[in-house]
Amino acid sequence: MRWWWRDTKWVNGCCSDLLDVMSPKPTADMKSWHRRMGSVNSGLLGGADQGNSKPPASLFPALGPSLTELARPKTQPTGGTSSLAQLRDRMVKTDAGGQPTSNTGTGLGQSMVLSPALTQTKFDLGSGTGPSLSSLAQSSLGQTRRPLASLAAGGGKTGLAGFTSRFPVAASTTVTPPVTALSLSSAVMPHLASPPTTGSSNTVSTGRMTSLGFLEKTKDASTGLSNVAGASAIDATQTLKLGSGIALGADRDSRNLQDCSLAPVNKAGFDTNFKSALPKLIRDDNRARQSATGVDPVSECSAEVKPSILNSPISTTGSPSLSINPVQAPPSSVAVFLFEDIHDPDTDTLQLPSSRSLSNDEPFISSFFPAWLGGTQQHQGFAFDQPSPDDVVSKAQKEAFKEKKAVSASSAQRTFSKPSSSIVASATSPSSKTNSSTLRSPNYVEDDDNFVEVLDDDDTEQMNFDIAGLNLTNTSASGKASAVAQGKQPAVSRPFSAMSSAVNSSQPTPPGSPKLAAARSPGTPKTLTGKKINIEEEYRKRNADKEGLNLVVIGHVDAGKSTLMGHLLFDLGEVNERTMKKYERDSQKIGKSSFAFAWVLDETGEERSRGITMDIAMNKFETTHRKFTLLDAPGHRDFIPKMISGASQADVAVMVVDSTTGEFEAGFEANGQTKEHALLVRSLGVQQLVVAINKLDVMDWSQSRYDDIVGKLSTFLTQAGFRKKNLTFIPVSGLTGENVVKRTHGGVLERWYTGPTLVEQIDLFEPPTRMLDKPFRLGVTDFFKGGIGSTGGISVAGRVDAGHIQVGDQVMVVPGGEFGTVKALEVNDESAKWAVAGDSVLVSLTGLDIVQLSTGSVLCASSYPVPVTSEFIARIVVFDVKVPITSGFSIDLHHQSLNEPAVITKLLAVIDKSTGEIVKKNPRHLSKSSTATVQIKIINRPIPLETFKENKELGRVMLRKGGDTVAAGVVVEILSYAS
Amino acid sequence: MKLIRKRIDKDGSGFVTLYPEELEDMWHVYNLIVKGDHLKATTIRRIQSESSTGSSSSQRLRITLTIVVENIDFDPQAGLLRINGRVTVENPYVKYYCTCTLATETPTFIVSVFTILKLSRSTASILQMNGHHTIDLELNRNFTLIKEEWDVIALERVDESCDVARKADVSAVVCQEGLANLCLLTQHMTIVRQRIETPVPRKRKGSVTNYEKGLVRFYDHVLQAILRHINFDIVKVVILASPGFVKDQIYQYIFDQAIKTDNKPLLEARPKFLLVHCSSGHKHALQEIMQDPATLARLADTKAAREVEALNRFYHMLNHDADRAFYGFKHVMKANERGAIGTLLVTDQLFRCVVRRGSADIATRRKYIELVENVRAIGGTVFVFSSLHVSGEQLNQLTGVAAILTFPVPDIEEEDEAENEANEGVGKSS
């Protein structure tokens, strides 16, 4: 409290004596003010206060300045109008005048008190002698555009705290009173500033959100804005005028006054709304941290506010009269563009925040309300070592794209039916919908012992496992949530294979993504040259023929993976006779003739001479109904990082098990890789598994041995989370090729085995749903100089994790943020014009330096970059570990092809596997097979990472230590952002 | 480090004069000096003097300053130790000047010393007795450390640092395909000298030339780093560690190249190379290396290896009998009250009363020293981990203090929980 009084003094200088005289009384009042402001904030933030009636002290510094500013202009003797005391008294009076201040705490009720108070104040000011706030604002618009802009930026950055830091600038330039008056209506300011200053798109985007948060505060002060905002919810055609409308709002004094005077009348409407919001907020608060509803309170708050504004008769009548004022500068194209986007015709702004997913929430909040967030969670008040406002604003700008996307996604489902009296009702209903769905959120259901993903018996659901994913069934974000509320509309569609038409129509609208056909602009790379290809159509065409799948081959070292696959490729005609002959000859020369087939995949000299696969080998083959990209993983435990890199690209897996006496046991027992590999692929999202019981020829095709192994394995694999029906066992011999592609008739095997051959079984794999409609992502597994076909540039290999790409697209490399243009593409070694999620591609990029790339980089759509982080919260399942995981546990973090040293900095909570409830907070250590949320910090450098909800491929991490996999997990929340 | 002189009174106050010889000694000194100590050391200052005629001259002088330590900075990479504090003792090397203006109580002898200036200030100003100065401690120059109280930890540190026998200069190259960390390990420090990261393209169908070229480039980088950073005269063991066959490949490459270039010193150093398996190329894989029996045999009984062993024992205990392993000061203190501590693991960071890192004040240090003394008194073992080692780093993450108990004390945790609940209750009610 004290400090900002001092601050005021400092700024004011001249009227310090005045202040001093008044200080005793104001202090008391200001305290009450503080409380109110604090609770408003906490209410808006949601979860900040956790239902505690006391506003967090940390909010005070942030709020202080704004209050100072509130008070200050009035202390200025210049206006000679209403003094600070007068003003403040009035506010207090209105407060004391029996407003329904609900002391319960969430503060929204109190915030209501605030706005009428403000209304009154302003009314007074206006009708009295002095210039009204809005006219002041107007004048300031002309005079102090720059400080305003900077103020706006500051506001975007550190919330109110930002104002203080920026304040001296504004103050020194000239018109202090207007500027400060403006800070009262902080949300308006960016708008005021933005239309004339064309370049400041940053400001606009920031201000936009700020306005949501501040709406009820600013509603009277900014009149024009509230009208427009309200109107835009009803009639989207007016949104174009929004920018100008706001600017206009400034000079429409007289209307303001009337408007304001009526505001208290509307109060009743407000209160009811807020009361209805209260319980929700309280409920949300409790979960805000863990269950993705971080922003919901905000959304609800804004949702409540707007309709009530609409309810005001004057504002509704007032809104049509908005037109472009010839005197005012028209809104900049940037402003128009942005505003248009946000108030998209078939959109309602109310859904904006609520339709965002968790991962968005965090950055979202922190970029727009950092002071609040910081104040409540991380740091106290404003720190000068924070990033500059510009940084934050530009980040916010990026966020705006996401937001835009989210809007369009939710748009279809929610629209206001009527613009008039029923609006309050209709406005509350969507929020209650969100809410009801929010309530469902904490269904952390896990049905298996060792790992996590839900596997329902329903066929449609099955393909959908990744969305249900690790049971982070989430609400705030997903279209699913709203769908649930809207009568169980299937959130996710049936498998792709079942219906090629599914791509378009019944394709689910996953969280925050636009419909496929309709809007693909946000997440798609910008195409610079050539014609756009309609990828959905092409994809459907391609799939009509044969669908593509990525198959990883796993198993203990020397189980015969490469040999089996080599033989398979040879039998399918992928390897020609002559090459094979050569391999046989050469392998015989070094006395390893049994490795001939493996040489198809093991190509390096090292691998051949040692007779061991050391890196993923990629190949392709086709079966009757499918096209496969084969990833042959190394089995040796030292090469598990490579295996993870391969498996993270895979949809389905073949596990090869050595059936010979002793060998199976060696692979299956403690130190063998059979178990570890199975757990790893399962954790990496592979659901369908074919187990090839290999080398049975050595065992004389003994059925009892086969059954024995099948028994042992199926127990383990079902425990590991594979469903019985997705598990098949095939007896094979990789060396002889028996039962790989065909079976010898009348052979020994034929006596007891009549099932399908390996290839027949592989052909039955169901392709998973591809994330076609998500923004483009490609995890880089490999890169080298020289483009495809010995052209220039650099080549990048990897699998498209989400979205699609075509020649001519511009893509962004993260981390680094450099851009490159796609010059050529190869899908499965065949040149192509486009590629979609699931394809293994080789991309030739131009305009990019190779030093920008590293293994583990992600290529992504420039409009929707992948966040880069070094600190995040993950939900992990601890494997069979020798030492317990404690805080400070150093690990190797594996994320796609990347492995980086990291530290588990905090053990947040142990979670019950079946219910998802927190069993123990801040545990001392995690023992084996427990599920927990932990905080992880990456030591060396930040890496690109997304939350599991956002992108399931980029949201998975494996934790290893000392050559053992200790845990697998998914990213729940990203804590820090780097670039 | 050499101990030149040592005089400690019965009350624990006294001074020690030391002669640092190598980089690691700086680390010892860093751990020895505590805020509030007096340090007497030489430093070079440019002195500007004005003669009576008004002409001024400046010269660089090595002068001895005594300061009260306020801040210590240590850069383990360069072994640079900077100590900041106020000058407390008038110094014979500095010229005294009589200026009447400043004469206050004893006008006959005062003093105001000519300015000691840091470089380029042109006018002479008056050195104040309490002026702030920074001393860079230098190798091979004596310094004297005066403490009001020499506690056990400090005295042990002096002994340890002056023990010539305990020395093992080891360098380790921890690598994986495309990544290598070249580290120097001493008794108390692990320093990453160079981190090598070379992108190695992966094998592609039909073409492995890119891959092989990339590998060779990577091996070459490692070789160059070894040649640059490892002095084979000093280093006794070079550990090459990696998962898979990278270490063998590098080993082979190094000596192929040595033969090609006829690099005698390298060829002679061949027996010093030790190939060890580890699981990754990151620095913390050193911990695995330290456990490897092959390394242990070569490194004998080094501190680092013992530390790793102790930490492993702790983790093992935590996994198997959680009531016998505790970490965090509060828990450990409780175990100590019950006399249950068998082995105490602490990092030296906790005893370092440097302003920035670790325990910030003398009180904390005293607290921990008490703990150490208590544990010793009841016959427990105490490991003071060097926070520059990987194991120490990890212990630091683990609050810096951990204990293995001789008997299980399950109620520590329960008590703690109850307390927490009580605290929460209080928080709520208030």
Side-chain angles (χ1 to χ4, degrees):
Chain A
M1 190 81 189
R2 263 286 140 82
W3 68 268
W4 62 256
W5 271 110
R6 240 188 1 252
D7 211 19
T8 321
K9 241 189 282 178
W10 165 67
V11 178
N12 261 338
C14 61
C15 52
S16 58
D17 46 349
L18 184 59
L19 263 173
D20 284 346
V21 171
M22 292 167 45
S23 59
K25 204 168 141 205
T27 328
D29 291 338
M30 284 302 173
K31 255 177 198 156
S32 71
W33 255 91
H34 256 309
R35 185 151 305 147
R36 223 161 296 131
M37 293 290 274
S39 42
V40 170
N41 271 350
S42 61
L44 286 172
L45 246 188
D49 210 356
Q50 297 280 344
N52 197 340
S53 63
K54 213 177 66 180
S58 50
L59 283 172
F60 280 18
L63 284 163
S66 77
L67 287 174
T68 322
E69 260 110 285
L70 246 176
R72 216 176 44 76
K74 297 140 205 163
T75 48
Q76 296 267 20
T78 50
T81 58
S82 47
S83 76
L84 167 65
Q86 246 181 313
L87 230 160
R88 195 197 50 253
D89 284 347
R90 190 147 288 122
M91 291 166 184
V92 177
K93 248 181 262 163
T94 22
D95 177 17
Q99 304 298 334
T101 24
S102 58
N103 272 330
T104 47
T106 44
L108 272 175
Q110 290 177 337
S111 77
M112 283 320 304
V113 185
L114 178 67
S115 23
L118 280 170
T119 314
Q120 280 251 355
T121 330
K122 206 181 106 36
F123 180 64
D124 224 67
L125 262 173
S127 64
T129 44
S132 84
L133 288 179
S134 50
S135 61
L136 281 173
Q138 195 198 356
S139 65
S140 73
L141 184 70
Q143 291 172 41
T144 56
R145 194 165 295 162
R146 195 177 56 81
L148 269 179
S150 70
L151 264 170
K157 189 220 167 231
T158 46
L160 292 168
F163 285 120
T164 14
S165 63
R166 288 296 173 136
F167 191 73
V169 183
S172 62
T173 32
T174 38
V175 252
T176 24
V179 173
T180 43
L182 267 175
S183 72
L184 194 153
S185 54
S186 51
V188 200
M189 211 158 40
H191 295 293
L192 283 173
S194 57
T197 39
T198 33
S200 64
S201 59
N202 290 354
T203 336
V204 178
S205 64
T206 330
R208 194 170 51 189
M209 282 321 301
T210 331
S211 74
L212 270 181
F214 276 101
L215 210 65
E216 33 79 55
K217 229 192 295 171
T218 58
K219 123 186 128 53
D220 22 23
S222 64
T223 57
L225 170 70
S226 61
N227 287 347
V228 173
S232 66
I234 319 167
D235 185 1
T237 50
Q238 285 190 346
T239 49
L240 247 170
K241 299 171 192 164
L242 185 68
S244 60
I246 292 161
L248 286 176
D251 62 340
R252 295 194 299 110
D253 279 358
S254 54
R255 198 188 306 273
N256 288 352
L257 298 177
Q258 293 164 14
D259 203 352
C260 299
S261 64
L262 274 166
V265 184
N266 298 331
K267 187 174 58 62
F270 266 93
D271 286 341
T272 49
N273 285 339
F274 275 100
K275 274 177 191 159
S276 65
L278 273 178
K280 291 173 212 158
L281 282 169
I282 297 167
R283 266 174 284 156
D284 285 339
D285 281 352
N286 299 334
R287 274 195 315 277
R289 282 214 62 79
Q290 49 161 318
S291 72
T293 50
V295 134
D296 270 0
V298 176
S299 76
E300 273 169 6
C301 174
S302 57
E304 299 307 328
V305 170
K306 271 199 202 154
S308 0
I309 295 161
L310 291 179
N311 208 18
S312 145
I314 291 233
S315 51
T316 32
T317 51
S319 55
S321 68
L322 288 171
S323 55
I324 294 172
N325 187 340
V327 185
Q328 292 283 337
S332 74
S333 52
V334 181
V336 170
F337 169 72
L338 281 163
F339 280 111
E340 192 180 17
D341 275 333
I342 196 168
H343 301 285
D344 209 62
D346 51 358
T347 300
D348 73 72
T349 5
L350 306 195
Q351 303 311 328
L352 240 179
S354 70
S355 59
R356 303 175 60 82
S357 69
L358 168 71
S359 64
N360 286 353
D361 291 346
E362 213 32 62
F364 168 75
I365 299 180
S366 55
S367 57
F368 289 113
F369 309 104
W372 298 352
L373 189 76
T376 52
Q377 293 180 354
Q378 286 147 2
H379 33 78
Q380 307 272 317
F382 178 77
F384 286 90
D385 55 356
Q386 283 171 344
S388 84
D390 300 336
D391 293 349
V392 183
V393 169
S394 65
K395 194 199 277 173
Q397 201 179 9
K398 284 178 194 166
E399 291 298 321
F401 280 98
K402 293 189 187 175
E403 192 181 290
K404 215 186 340 178
K405 205 164 172 276
V407 168
S408 55
S410 63
S411 64
Q413 290 161 343
R414 308 169 180 194
T415 35
F416 280 119
S417 49
K418 277 176 274 171
S420 58
S421 59
S422 63
I423 272 181
V424 177
S426 65
T428 41
S429 63
S431 60
S432 64
K433 269 184 210 162
T434 352
N435 200 55
S436 64
S437 51
T438 319
L439 284 175
R440 289 161 197 260
S441 67
N443 294 333
Y444 294 90
V445 193
E446 286 176 24
D447 60 354
D448 45 15
D449 288 336
N450 277 328
F451 204 56
V452 255
E453 299 181 14
V454 162
L455 309 164
D456 284 325
D457 279 313
D458 183 36
D459 240 351
T460 38
E461 288 273 313
Q462 178 209 328
M463 293 320 294
N464 196 13
F465 64 97
D466 273 312
I467 295 171
L470 297 183
N471 304 312
L472 303 164
T473 325
N474 146 31
T475 47
S476 72
S478 55
K480 195 175 174 180
S482 58
V484 170
Q486 293 191 354
K488 296 278 178 190
Q489 171 188 331
V492 204
S493 72
R494 285 167 289 137
F496 241 57
S497 61
M499 25 125 220
S500 52
S501 64
V503 187
N504 218 344
S505 55
S506 62
Q507 173 70 15
T509 326
S513 57
K515 285 238 163 178
L516 255 187
R520 88 171 102 122
S521 42
T524 319
K526 219 192 302 168
T527 309
L528 293 182
T529 53
K531 253 172 128 185
K532 268 244 168 217
I533 300 165
N534 186 345
I535 287 179
E536 286 79 41
E537 209 141 281
E538 295 286 330
Y539 181 61
R540 233 171 297 149
K541 265 189 230 163
R542 194 177 81 179
N543 270 6
D545 180 21
K546 277 178 187 180
E547 283 189 58
L549 269 171
N550 296 306
L551 171 89
V552 69
V553 187
I554 55 169
H556 188 61
V557 65
D558 282 340
K561 293 176 293 298
S562 303
T563 305
L564 179 67
M565 285 302 131
H567 209 132
L568 187 145
L569 290 174
F570 176 66
D571 285 353
L572 288 174
E574 293 290 330
V575 186
N576 65 39
E577 202 82 32
R578 218 174 45 149
T579 327
M580 203 60 240
K581 278 265 147 58
K582 186 168 166 281
Y583 288 159
E584 269 165 35
R585 245 192 348 265
D586 291 351
S587 59
Q588 210 152 16
K589 249 185 232 164
I590 60 165
K592 288 177 192 276
S593 57
S594 65
F595 284 90
F597 284 114
W599 280 27
V600 174
L601 293 153
D602 297 349
E603 290 183 89
T604 65
E606 181 88 15
E607 285 177 327
R608 287 182 179 176
S609 61
R610 291 185 193 276
I612 183 180
T613 310
M614 289 164 69
D615 197 357
I616 292 281
M618 295 248 279
N619 221 307
K620 63 171 168 55
F621 64 91
E622 289 185 23
T623 58
T624 332
H625 302 103
R626 303 272 181 268
K627 260 191 247 177
F628 283 99
T629 305
L630 174 70
L631 300 146
D632 180 39
H636 195 284
R637 65 192 308 243
D638 277 351
F639 303 115
I640 284 186
K642 298 274 171 66
M643 178 261 164
I644 291 175
S645 148
S648 64
Q649 302 175 52
D651 308 312
V652 292
V654 169
M655 186 158 97
V656 183
V657 179
D658 190 338
S659 67
T660 51
T661 322
E663 288 300 314
F664 167 73
E665 284 73 15
F668 191 64
E669 297 312 325
N671 249 344
Q673 265 59 65
T674 311
K675 276 182 176 175
E676 190 176 6
H677 275 198
L679 283 172
L680 277 172
V681 289
R682 187 65 193 83
S683 315
L684 287 164
V686 171
Q687 268 214 326
Q688 307 169 62
L689 182 73
V690 168
V691 183
I693 314 286
N694 197 15
K695 304 193 187 175
L696 266 178
D697 52 332
V698 183
M699 303 302 290
D700 294 326
W701 298 102
S702 152
Q703 189 181 0
S704 61
R705 178 66 176 165
Y706 172 79
D707 289 341
D708 187 30
I709 292 172
V710 168
K712 274 187 191 161
L713 276 178
S714 60
T715 322
F716 166 72
L717 290 173
T718 40
Q719 255 178 25
F722 288 97
R723 240 186 296 156
K724 273 243 158 67
K725 54 175 292 216
N726 284 333
L727 267 181
T728 32
F729 297 89
I730 314 265
V732 291
S733 166
L735 196 62
T736 63
E738 179 72 8
N739 207 27
V740 174
V741 175
K742 51 191 180 296
R743 241 190 336 262
T744 39
H745 287 287
V748 197
L749 179 62
E750 198 96 305
R751 277 186 223 150
W752 56 269
Y753 184 80
T754 50
T757 62
L758 181 61
V759 169
E760 283 162 12
Q761 188 58 46
I762 286 174
D763 195 43
L764 295 177
F765 276 135
E766 290 289 340
T769 319
R770 305 281 184 206
M771 295 187 288
L772 242 65
D773 43 5
K774 288 260 189 171
F776 170 68
R777 260 98 179 102
L778 183 147
V780 176
T781 54
D782 188 17
F783 61 96
F784 46 89
K785 256 186 206 145
I788 296 163
S790 54
T791 50
I794 50 177
S795 295
V796 173
R799 183 179 74 145
V800 181
D801 292 313
H804 45 76
I805 187 179
Q806 53 184 290
V807 173
D809 278 355
Q810 196 183 43
V811 292
M812 187 177 180
V813 180
V814 171
E818 293 292 318
F819 293 96
T821 310
V822 177
K823 211 174 164 201
L825 269 174
E826 254 181 31
V827 178
N828 278 337
D829 300 328
E830 283 158 18
S831 98
K833 289 262 175 261
W834 53 273
V836 296
D839 291 346
S840 281
V841 295
L842 186 66
V843 186
S844 274
L845 293 175
T846 52
L848 191 68
D849 194 343
I850 198 156
V851 295
Q852 296 294 337
L853 280 165
S854 64
T855 312
S857 295
V858 175
L859 298 187
C860 57
S862 52
S863 56
Y864 203 157
V866 184
V868 178
T869 183
S870 55
E871 208 161 10
F872 61 93
I873 292 175
R875 213 156 99 78
I876 60 167
V877 172
V878 181
F879 287 179
D880 201 2
V881 288
K882 284 180 218 134
V883 290
I885 295 176
T886 55
S887 58
F889 200 72
S890 60
I891 44 162
D892 285 343
L893 179 88
H894 291 258
H895 177 250
Q896 296 208 321
S897 302
L898 185 77
N899 71 81
E900 278 289 319
V903 172
I904 297 180
T905 45
K906 250 187 223 161
L907 308 180
L908 297 172
V910 175
I911 292 169
D912 186 289
K913 253 172 262 177
S914 46
T915 61
E917 274 163 19
I918 291 174
V919 178
K920 191 179 177 189
K921 272 189 179 173
N922 304 320
R924 266 196 327 139
H925 62 95
L926 306 176
S927 43
K928 54 179 134 182
S929 67
S930 55
T931 308
T933 46
V934 297
Q935 192 172 322
I936 295 174
K937 187 167 189 231
I938 299 152
I939 296 169
N940 278 347
R941 56 179 175 199
I943 62 166
L945 209 63
E946 273 186 295
T947 55
F948 184 71
K949 248 168 265 153
E950 197 77 0
N951 187 318
K952 55 180 182 163
E953 305 293 343
L954 289 171
R956 295 182 204 273
V957 290
M958 304 289 130
L959 313 182
R960 308 190 81 234
K961 185 186 176 74
D964 297 315
T965 306
V966 292
V970 295
V971 180
V972 179
E973 191 182 344
I974 291 172
L975 294 178
S976 70
Y977 290 87
S979 58
Chain B
M1 199 138 64
K2 273 183 198 151
L3 183 62
I4 306 294
R5 204 172 305 147
K6 176 171 158 187
R7 199 172 127 183
I8 289 158
D9 294 339
K10 272 189 180 161
D11 63 347
S13 66
F15 70 88
V16 162
T17 304
L18 294 163
Y19 178 83
E21 289 166 309
E22 50 182 15
L23 287 189
E24 198 187 14
D25 295 340
M26 288 301 169
W27 169 249
H28 289 300
V29 178
Y30 176 52
N31 280 292
L32 213 48
I33 297 182
V34 169
K35 192 183 166 192
D37 290 351
H38 291 242
L39 176 79
K40 190 172 153 195
T42 64
T43 176
I44 294 175
R45 289 289 184 271
R46 198 163 72 129
I47 305 291
Q48 208 161 39
S49 54
E50 203 172 323
S51 67
S52 51
T53 56
S55 69
S56 67
S57 65
S58 79
Q59 57 187 137
R60 288 164 66 84
L61 276 182
R62 178 169 289 282
I63 55 176
T64 306
L65 290 179
T66 306
I67 59 171
V68 177
V69 178
E70 288 188 354
N71 203 352
I72 314 167
D73 265 331
F74 180 63
D75 176 13
Q77 286 293 317
L80 197 69
L81 189 64
R82 316 186 84 216
I83 297 144
N84 185 290
R86 291 158 182 270
V87 180
T88 50
V89 177
E90 293 161 3
N91 201 301
Y93 292 102
V94 177
K95 284 176 193 161
Y96 287 87
Y97 251 20
C98 257
T99 50
C100 303
T101 46
L102 270 186
T104 45
E105 284 149 37
T106 49
T108 42
F109 171 79
I110 296 236
V111 168
S112 79
V113 195
F114 220 114
T115 321
I116 297 182
L117 282 174
K118 281 198 192 166
L119 300 175
S120 61
R121 238 180 288 163
S122 59
T123 50
S125 58
I126 292 159
L127 171 84
Q128 285 161 14
M129 252 289 286
N130 283 327
H132 279 272
H133 279 269
T134 301
I135 298 178
D136 281 350
L137 275 194
E138 289 166 272
L139 291 181
N140 305 322
R141 281 205 189 270
N142 286 355
F143 70 89
T144 304
L145 185 64
I146 306 142
K147 274 179 187 283
E148 309 235 316
E149 190 190 343
W150 286 88
D151 51 43
V152 199
I153 296 288
L155 288 175
E156 261 171 30
R157 177 67 76 168
V158 172
D159 289 345
E160 224 167 73
S161 61
C162 298
D163 186 350
V164 192
R166 285 189 190 168
K167 252 178 210 162
D169 274 316
V170 179
S171 59
V173 185
V174 194
C175 40
Q176 69 189 38
E177 215 171 86
L179 172 73
N181 280 294
L182 199 152
C183 317
L184 287 184
L185 287 97
T186 60
Q187 193 64 232
H188 294 269
M189 293 163 49
T190 303
I191 303 167
V192 177
R193 272 273 173 250
Q194 193 176 352
R195 185 184 148 89
I196 302 155
E197 217 179 339
T198 315
V200 177
R202 300 173 80 168
K203 66 173 186 184
R204 297 198 67 78
K205 195 181 155 194
S207 153
V208 290
T209 45
N210 259 336
Y211 167 76
E212 272 155 12
K213 261 192 226 158
L215 266 189
V216 170
R217 200 167 54 231
F218 169 62
Y219 296 153
D220 192 55
H221 286 171
V222 175
L223 172 64
Q224 295 311 322
I226 288 176
L227 292 177
R228 193 173 321 127
H229 291 292
I230 298 178
N231 182 350
F232 289 104
D233 297 336
I234 298 170
V235 169
K236 295 191 183 75
V237 184
V238 181
I239 298 171
L240 267 178
S242 83
F245 308 104
V246 181
K247 54 180 185 293
D248 310 83
Q249 299 276 313
I250 290 181
Y251 181 76
Q252 202 182 342
Y253 181 83
I254 288 172
F255 290 103
D256 286 353
Q257 290 301 310
I259 290 165
K260 246 184 226 169
T261 56
D262 199 25
N263 188 335
K264 282 261 168 58
L266 190 56
L267 283 171
E268 276 163 19
R270 193 167 189 147
K272 287 183 181 172
F273 279 77
L274 180 66
L275 304 190
V276 180
H277 177 270
C278 68
S279 68
S280 82
H282 299 296
K283 182 187 162 195
H284 59 231
L286 273 175
Q287 212 168 340
E288 288 170 46
I289 296 164
M290 284 297 166
Q291 285 168 266
D292 193 290
T295 332
L296 283 178
R298 286 291 270 276
L299 300 186
D301 186 32
T302 62
K303 185 173 153 64
R306 268 181 290 131
E307 284 173 5
V308 169
E309 197 270 332
L311 192 63
N312 276 337
R313 224 149 32 84
F314 171 75
Y315 271 112
H316 184 265
M317 196 55 92
L318 195 60
N319 204 22
H320 290 90
D321 191 356
D323 292 331
R324 283 182 60 196
F326 285 92
Y327 65 88
F329 184 72
K330 232 164 90 189
H331 283 178
V332 171
M333 214 50 198
K334 276 187 187 145
N336 180 41
E337 282 162 19
R338 289 169 175 73
I341 298 180
T343 311
L344 180 71
L345 323 176
V346 262
T347 57
D348 49 17
Q349 194 179 51
L350 298 172
F351 302 107
R352 211 179 300 139
C353 305
V354 184
V355 184
R356 283 189 204 135
R357 280 178 249 155
S359 49
D361 57 311
I362 311 259
T364 327
R365 181 184 167 108
R366 213 163 266 151
K367 223 166 58 183
Y368 280 105
I369 284 169
E370 216 168 275
L371 179 65
V372 169
E373 281 172 347
N374 271 337
V375 172
R376 287 224 175 108
I378 59 165
T381 350
V382 177
F383 286 99
V384 180
F385 280 47
S386 167
S387 51
L388 269 192
H389 277 316
V390 187
S391 50
E393 261 172 41
Q394 193 172 344
L395 187 60
N396 259 342
Q397 295 276 0
L398 199 78
T399 69
V401 57
I404 305 171
L405 311 194
T406 43
F407 52 87
V409 188
D411 51 326
I412 288 182
E413 204 173 355
E414 285 157 25
E415 232 173 68
D416 192 50
E417 266 163 27
E419 257 171 44
N420 276 349
E421 270 160 33
N423 283 344
E424 271 167 32
V426 171
K428 264 172 203 159
S429 62
S430 70

